[in-house]
Amino acid sequence: MSDMLLKASMRLAHFPTVLSRRLREVRRQMNEEGDRGDNPIVTVILWVAGIGIAITIVAALVALGTRASTKVDNVDLGD
């Protein structure tokens, strides 16, 4: 068995222990410190508003590009 395969299998076998330890630490920290005050509803509202604004900006740019393209198409370059 190659050395790299052995190391990978050892890390994979150790992963549940590390994950369990980290989850215990997070639970302990949550119990000690309590809620951080993040409100998921406000976060969702802000994300939706941001995405809506971004879509509006893109739509406006596409509309302006289309309008400018039609004006440029009608220009006679004298070919």
Side-chain angles (χ1 to χ4, degrees):
M1 185 187 292
S2 72
D3 190 42
M4 186 174 13
L5 184 61
L6 182 60
K7 287 181 182 179
S9 64
M10 291 301 292
R11 284 188 179 199
L12 189 60
H14 189 61
F15 181 73
T17 306
V18 172
L19 184 62
S20 174
R21 186 179 307 138
R22 177 67 182 140
L23 285 174
R24 268 188 267 124
E25 180 183 330
V26 168
R27 284 189 193 119
R28 181 192 54 77
Q29 185 178 9
M30 285 174 55
N31 288 334
E32 289 177 2
E33 296 178 11
D35 189 19
R36 295 184 328 177
D38 293 346
N39 189 344
I41 296 172
V42 173
T43 304
V44 169
I45 291 170
L46 290 174
W47 272 102
V48 169
I51 292 170
I53 291 170
I55 290 172
T56 304
I57 291 170
V58 168
L61 290 174
V62 167
L64 286 174
T66 304
R67 188 174 181 187
S69 175
T70 57
K71 286 184 179 181
V72 172
D73 287 342
N74 294 333
V75 173
D76 184 19
L77 298 175
D79 288 332

